[in-house]
Amino acid sequence: MAKVQMCNVEVGNNPAKFTDSFQFDIYFECIEDLQEDLEWKVVYVGSSESEDQDQVLDCICVGPITAGRHKFTFTADPPDPSKIPESELRGVTVIFISCSFREQEFERVGYFLNNDYPDAETRESPPERTEVAALHRHILASDPRVTRFDINWGDVVPSALPGDPAVDAESCSMDHSDPALPYQSAKPGAFALSTDSVDFMQ
């Protein structure tokens, strides 16, 4: 049984310019005290063709964690456009938040993200080279894709090998219960990250 589970993610700064930072308010629950840190990452998928194009926008360690509900804000810089293929700067891609314990990823929350020019005229007749400074992004925050993995928490042997999905992303959803319920502020060493919600550009 997982000792930590993300309950909700609120995406801030959305929509925004391509060059703006990301912001996510992350709510999670821990069923018992953990003396070791949780490692959180925000990853931008730079290409549908290869994971080598993925960019880790930020990585932080939060801990130790006491049993109960916690919340923190994760803010991350935008991706480096020079590391993204020119043909994939515009259009739909994915950004996801990953959480690991003892270097084992146990939960991932992903969102579709669309980068494009804000005005219809430029979208229909775009410049030959993508003008990154003019791009805007929309994160489809209303439709998170959640994947959970069985890992070894240190006291039981998991039913699946570490890294094997325990729950398919299509069949799992975030709990959008009232975030006003009592949450503690998680205690990181020094951190910040980011996200929000809105429809894609038509």
Side-chain angles (χ1 to χ4, degrees):
M1 180 179 179
K3 295 184 179 182
V4 178
Q5 180 172 311
M6 279 189 263
C7 304
N8 194 14
V9 176
E10 294 180 351
V11 182
N13 197 22
N14 183 53
K17 293 182 178 180
F18 181 96
T19 53
D20 288 346
S21 62
F22 291 90
Q23 180 178 314
F24 304 90
D25 287 334
I26 299 174
Y27 299 80
F28 68 96
E29 186 166 12
C30 185
I31 64 172
E32 65 179 63
D33 292 352
L34 293 178
Q35 297 305 311
E36 297 177 58
D37 291 347
L38 297 175
E39 182 183 59
W40 301 80
K41 294 180 182 178
V42 172
V43 180
Y44 182 93
V45 176
S47 173
S48 58
E49 301 294 328
S50 172
E51 292 183 4
D52 292 340
Q53 305 292 337
D54 289 359
Q55 295 186 43
V56 177
L57 303 184
D58 207 342
C59 177
I60 61 169
C61 291
V62 178
I65 304 294
T66 57
R69 295 178 171 183
H70 302 270
K71 172 197 172 184
F72 71 97
T73 298
F74 197 171
T75 306
D77 290 335
D80 181 349
S82 69
K83 297 180 180 179
I84 301 172
E86 170 73 21
S87 61
E88 304 213 39
L89 283 168
R90 291 179 62 206
V92 178
T93 185
V94 170
I95 189 167
F96 65 86
I97 301 162
S98 168
C99 191
S100 300
F101 179 72
R102 295 179 178 172
E103 299 183 348
Q104 304 168 92
E105 182 183 25
F106 63 86
E107 189 161 6
R108 178 183 297 190
V109 178
Y111 298 90
F112 290 112
L113 176 155
N114 189 45
N115 294 308
D116 214 336
Y117 298 108
D119 60 288
E121 184 177 349
T122 308
R123 291 199 298 271
E124 293 173 4
S125 301
E128 289 188 11
R129 289 194 60 81
T130 304
E131 296 179 359
V132 173
L135 292 177
H136 284 223
R137 68 164 187 259
H138 282 203
I139 298 171
L140 190 58
S142 61
D143 188 23
R145 301 303 175 99
V146 183
T147 306
R148 298 190 176 111
F149 305 87
D150 280 327
I151 68 166
N152 191 336
W153 292 90
D155 50 4
V156 294
V157 177
S159 58
L161 292 174
D164 288 347
V167 182
D168 186 83
E170 296 292 340
S171 63
C172 188
S173 60
M174 300 296 292
D175 175 10
H176 293 286
S177 56
D178 185 0
L181 290 171
Y183 281 86
Q184 306 173 49
S185 293
K187 299 178 181 178
F191 69 87
L193 269 94
S194 66
T195 6
D196 200 307
S197 69
V198 109
D199 292 336
F200 280 174
M201 288 176 259
Q202 301 299 316

